[in-house]
Amino acid sequence: MQKSLLVSFVLVVMVACGGSDTPSVRKLPPPPPPLLTASEQLREDLQGLSLDEFYVESFGALLKRTPESVVTQTLEDVYPLDGAGLNNYSDSYQRETFAMYQIVLDALRSYDRNSLDADGQLNYDAYEWFLQDEVDFLPFIYNDFPATYSFGVPRRTQRFFVDLHPLATAQDAEDYISRMSAVQGKFAQLATHLGLQQQNGIVEPALSIQVAINQYAPLGQGVPFDHPFYQNFRTKLESIDGLTDAERNDLDSRARTTVGNSVIPGYAQLANTLQNLLNSAPPSIGVGQYSNGAAYYARALRHHTTTDLTAAEIHQLGLDELTRIHAEMRLIFDQLGYPQNETLQELFARVATDGGIIPAANVRSTYEAIIADAEPRLDAAFDIFPAADVVVEPDPFGGFYIGPSFDGSRPGAFYAGTENDEAYYQMPSLTYHESIPGHHTQIALAMEQDSDIFRKIFRSTAFVEGWALYAERLAWELGWYDGDPYGNLGRLQYEALRAARLVMDTGIHEFGWSFDEATQFNIDNVGWSLGASQSAAARYSVWPGQATAYMVGLLKILDERQRAMDELGTDFDLKGFHRALLENGGLPLELMDDVVDRYIAEVQAAN
C-alpha cells in the first residue's frame, strides 16, 4: 500500500512536469553577495577619483562617523546623515573607524604629491598629517578617559543638546527628541568601553572619577521637567514658527517623556558604572602608571604639540620660561611697591584687590565691553577679519570658545563664568585669548576661507592654543595694557600658567608627580589659590599632553615671526605675517615652516 502510494506520487510529478523521464529540480537564485563593511565600501567609493573629489568624498565619510560633529557644524546639507542618531562608542564601530582612516591614508599616498603646486602640496601634507595622527592612536584605544569630568563624553553630550543642537524648525525638534532617545544606548556603549579598559588594566584615577560622579549624578536624578535637556527644548520650542498649539504640546510632551525614559536613566546608569569602578581605580594620577603609559604619553605629546619634543625637553622649557616670566612680573611688582618677600599667591591677592572686583551682575557686560574696545584696535595688526560675530555666553565653568556654525545660524561664542564676582585684572587677557584677536579671529577666519572642508575643520591643538596665547602677548605689544599694570600682571600670570603646564603635565605623566606635588607647584609658580590649583592639576591628570600645546605653540609662532623679521628687514609687515598664518588654518607646527617660507618668498619677490 505504501509502495503504490509512492508510485502514484512519482507519476503525478512526472505528468505535472510534462511527462519527462526524471523530475526537474528548481534552481534557486544565487545568494546575495556579503554586505561590505564600512571600510570596504569606502575603499570602493574612493576608486578613480580626482584628488579634489577624493578630499570631499573621504573626509565626508570620516566626518559622518561622528554625526554629532556634522550637526554641530550644521553640515547636514553637505554631508547628509542616515538618521537622527548620536556618536557610536561601541568597540567594533571604533575599530572600523580606525580602519577607514588607514584606508584613506593609503589612498592619499597613491596620488603623486610631486605633481602638485605649492598650495596643493600643503593641502596634501596637512591631510596626511591629520590621517596619520589618527591612525597612530589605534594601539592606545583603551588609554583615554572618555567619561572624565568637564570634557568627557557625558559633558560633551550635555553641551551638544543644551548649547549646540539646532532648534529652529519642527524637524529640528523631532531630531532633538530622536537623539535624546539614543542617550541611554550611547552611555551603555561608553560603559562597555570602560569595562574593556578595565580588562586591559586601565581605570581612570579615583580622584577624577569621583569628580565625574559628582558632576553627572545630578543629571541622572530628579524629574524631567527640571532637567537641562528638557528646559532647553521647552524654551526654544516657543520660538519655532508654524506650529499649531496641538503640535507644540505634542512635541513638548514627547520631549519630556524621552528625558524621563532615556536621558535621566542614561546618566544614572553611567554614574553607577563609575561608582563601581572606584573600587579598582588607582589612587595615584598620571598615565605613566599603566603598562603602556609611557608610549601613550609620547603619542599624546606628539598629537598635541605636533612636534617631536620629548617630555624632558618640554619640562625644561617650562622651567626656563617660568624664570623669564617671574623676572618680568617682579619689575611690575616693584613699580607698584609690593614687598619683595611675599609669595606669588600673596602678591596676586594684592593685584586682585587693587585691580578692582567686578560684581557678578556686571561680569558679562564687562567682557562685552573689552571686546568692543578691542575691535577697532585690530587694524593696527590685521587686514583680515572674520565675518561672523562673537558673543559672550554665561557658563558655570567658563573660559572656552566654540566657533560659529558653517551656515551662519550660530555666531562664535566666548563662554565665560558669570555667576560670581571676578577680579578685573584677569579679564582682559582671557577675553583676548577666547575672542579677538584669539580663538574667534583665528577659528572663524579658518572656516570662512575658500579651502577644502577638512582644512576648515582640522585644527591642531598647538597652533590653535598657541595662537590664542600669542593674542594675549600681541595685545601687550600693541599697547592695549598701557596704563593698566594690573591687567598686564594678569597677562603675565596667564603666561606663567602656560609655562607651569609644561612642567606639571610632564611631571605628572612622565616623572611620577603626585597630585599634591603638582598642586603645590602651581601655587608657588602661578600664584593661584589652592582650589584653583587643584582644579588645574586634576585637569592635566586626565588630559595628558593637551596643556603643553599652549606655550609650545606660542614659542613657535614667535620664532617664526622673528625669522621672517630677520630675513625681510624693513619689508616685514606684521599684518601680512598674520594673514599668512590665519589664511592657512590650524596647521601642525611642523608645516608652519613651509607657510612662513612662502610668505617670505612672496614678500621678497614683490619687493
Side-chain angles (χ1 to χ4, degrees):
M1 179 67 178
Q2 290 177 345
K3 183 177 179 180
S4 63
L5 286 174
L6 178 61
V7 171
S8 299
F9 176 75
V10 172
L11 289 173
V12 169
V13 171
M14 290 175 65
V15 171
C17 294
S20 61
D21 293 336
T22 57
S24 66
V25 178
R26 195 176 80 181
K27 293 183 178 180
L28 297 175
L35 294 176
L36 298 178
T37 64
S39 55
E40 291 169 340
Q41 184 64 58
L42 179 60
R43 182 183 285 112
E44 286 198 1
D45 293 342
L46 297 181
Q47 297 298 313
L49 300 179
S50 68
L51 184 55
D52 287 340
E53 293 170 334
F54 166 79
Y55 285 144
V56 174
E57 188 72 25
S58 63
F59 186 71
L62 297 175
L63 185 65
K64 288 168 69 174
R65 298 295 286 182
T66 54
E68 291 171 34
S69 299
V70 178
V71 175
T72 297
Q73 300 284 1
T74 62
L75 286 172
E76 288 183 87
D77 289 342
V78 181
Y79 297 119
L81 298 173
D82 296 331
L86 297 176
N87 293 352
N88 188 325
Y89 285 91
S90 68
D91 197 65
S92 59
Y93 188 89
Q94 296 300 314
R95 291 183 180 278
E96 184 70 12
T97 302
F98 275 111
M100 293 173 69
Y101 273 95
Q102 185 66 62
I103 284 170
V104 175
L105 179 60
D106 293 341
L108 174 67
R109 288 171 174 164
S110 70
Y111 293 88
D112 181 12
R113 178 186 180 279
N114 293 328
S115 66
L116 305 174
D117 61 15
D119 286 333
Q121 289 185 352
L122 185 63
N123 235 21
Y124 182 105
D125 293 342
Y127 201 34
E128 182 180 42
W129 206 103
F130 162 68
L131 295 168
Q132 186 65 65
D133 184 56
E134 290 289 338
V135 167
D136 287 344
F137 271 110
L138 177 57
F140 309 105
I141 191 172
Y142 300 126
N143 282 86
D144 61 340
F145 298 136
T148 199
Y149 74 103
S150 290
F151 47 83
V153 172
R155 174 63 175 156
R156 294 203 305 270
T157 301
Q158 180 183 1
R159 187 162 302 286
F160 172 74
F161 280 103
V162 175
D163 294 314
L164 301 175
H165 194 292
L167 269 174
T169 67
Q171 187 59 55
D172 290 341
E174 292 286 356
D175 291 345
Y176 190 100
I177 294 171
S178 294
R179 291 190 172 103
M180 285 199 299
S181 70
V183 168
Q184 188 172 15
K186 173 183 175 179
F187 287 176
Q189 292 171 345
L190 182 59
T192 299
H193 178 85
L194 296 174
L196 291 170
Q197 279 189 301
Q198 187 178 22
Q199 293 172 23
N200 283 270
I202 299 171
V203 177
E204 182 177 339
L207 183 147
S208 52
I209 283 187
Q210 186 60 64
V211 176
I213 293 170
N214 296 342
Q215 188 180 88
Y216 303 142
L219 294 172
Q221 300 168 353
V223 297
F225 185 86
D226 295 326
H227 202 278
F229 284 42
Y230 170 71
Q231 286 292 324
N232 175 64
F233 182 88
R234 184 170 180 266
T235 299
K236 294 177 181 176
L237 181 63
E238 298 301 318
S239 301
I240 297 178
D241 294 329
L243 293 175
T244 65
D245 289 343
E247 290 170 334
R248 205 178 302 275
N249 290 336
D250 175 66
L251 288 167
D252 182 275
S253 175
R254 286 192 287 127
R256 191 166 60 250
T257 299
T258 304
V259 170
N261 291 342
S262 176
V263 178
I264 290 177
Y267 275 98
Q269 291 164 13
L270 180 63
N272 186 61
T273 297
L274 294 174
Q275 188 68 49
N276 292 334
L277 283 173
L278 268 178
N279 298 324
S280 55
S284 55
I285 60 173
V287 298
Q289 65 188 304
Y290 306 115
S291 60
N292 64 343
Y296 171 60
Y297 186 52
R299 170 91 282 276
L301 288 177
R302 168 72 174 161
H303 167 72
H304 287 296
T305 70
T306 64
T307 71
D308 290 324
L309 288 170
T310 67
E313 290 170 333
I314 291 172
H315 193 87
Q316 187 59 51
L317 183 63
L319 293 172
D320 294 343
E321 286 299 303
L322 281 171
T323 299
R324 172 188 64 81
I325 296 166
H326 289 162
E328 293 182 23
M329 287 178 174
R330 189 65 254 175
L331 291 175
I332 305 176
F333 289 144
D334 289 344
Q335 292 170 8
L336 294 172
Y338 288 0
Q340 289 272 349
N341 60 349
E342 288 189 341
T343 65
L344 272 185
Q345 194 175 39
E346 292 169 332
L347 290 166
F348 275 106
R350 290 177 180 271
V351 174
T353 300
D354 295 347
I357 304 297
I358 305 299
N362 299 334
V363 167
R364 185 177 185 177
S365 61
T366 301
Y367 281 123
E368 291 170 339
I370 294 171
I371 293 174
D373 179 69
E375 284 177 329
R377 301 190 186 195
L378 293 174
D379 288 339
F382 297 90
D383 58 9
I384 180 173
F385 309 95
D389 290 331
V390 59
V391 298
V392 178
E393 294 287 356
D395 183 84
F397 298 95
F400 62 93
Y401 170 83
I402 294 179
S405 59
F406 275 96
D407 67 356
S409 62
R410 188 184 71 241
F414 163 28
Y415 286 82
T418 60
E419 296 180 356
N420 302 305
D421 297 349
E422 294 288 339
Y424 178 79
Y425 83 97
Q426 292 182 322
M427 295 177 73
S429 285
L430 180 60
T431 307
Y432 302 146
H433 182 103
E434 302 296 348
S435 61
I436 58 173
H439 283 322
H440 180 67
T441 299
Q442 164 200 58
I443 291 173
L445 273 174
M447 294 173 65
E448 294 169 9
Q449 298 308 298
D450 183 18
S451 58
D452 288 283
I453 189 70
F454 75 87
R455 291 285 299 278
K456 299 173 187 283
I457 292 177
F458 168 52
R459 301 168 192 137
S460 74
T461 315
F463 180 70
V464 168
E465 297 298 351
W467 173 269
L469 183 53
Y470 172 76
E472 298 178 45
R473 184 184 181 90
L474 179 67
W476 168 68
E477 293 175 339
L478 296 174
W480 295 6
Y481 294 97
D482 288 355
D484 181 14
Y486 307 109
N488 196 25
L489 281 167
R491 174 189 71 84
L492 286 170
Q493 187 180 41
Y494 273 129
E495 200 166 291
L497 172 69
R498 278 46 172 262
R501 285 174 173 176
L502 301 181
V503 185
M504 294 168 65
D505 196 287
T506 52
I508 290 169
H509 298 292
E510 183 76 9
F511 301 115
W513 282 19
S514 69
F515 179 76
D516 289 342
E517 285 178 299
T519 298
Q520 191 61 49
F521 186 88
N522 197 76
I523 292 172
D524 294 341
N525 289 277
V526 179
W528 275 12
S529 68
L530 173 62
S533 296
Q534 288 175 329
S535 295
R539 168 184 163 174
Y540 311 152
S541 72
V542 292
W543 204 354
Q546 193 272 348
T548 67
Y550 299 69
M551 182 59 72
V552 170
L554 165 68
L555 296 177
K556 177 64 173 178
I557 293 172
L558 291 175
D559 285 347
E560 292 290 353
R561 189 179 72 176
Q562 189 61 52
R563 180 166 72 90
M565 293 171 68
D566 291 342
E567 294 197 33
L568 294 175
T570 57
D571 289 333
F572 174 81
D573 174 52
L574 185 60
K575 295 180 181 180
F577 175 78
H578 289 159
R579 187 189 330 113
L581 295 187
L582 294 171
E583 284 182 337
N584 281 289
L587 293 172
L589 298 186
E590 290 183 343
L591 300 183
M592 193 181 294
D593 287 341
D594 295 338
V595 171
V596 176
D597 285 343
R598 290 173 56 191
Y599 161 70
I600 292 171
E602 289 170 0
V603 173
Q604 289 173 334
N607 290 281

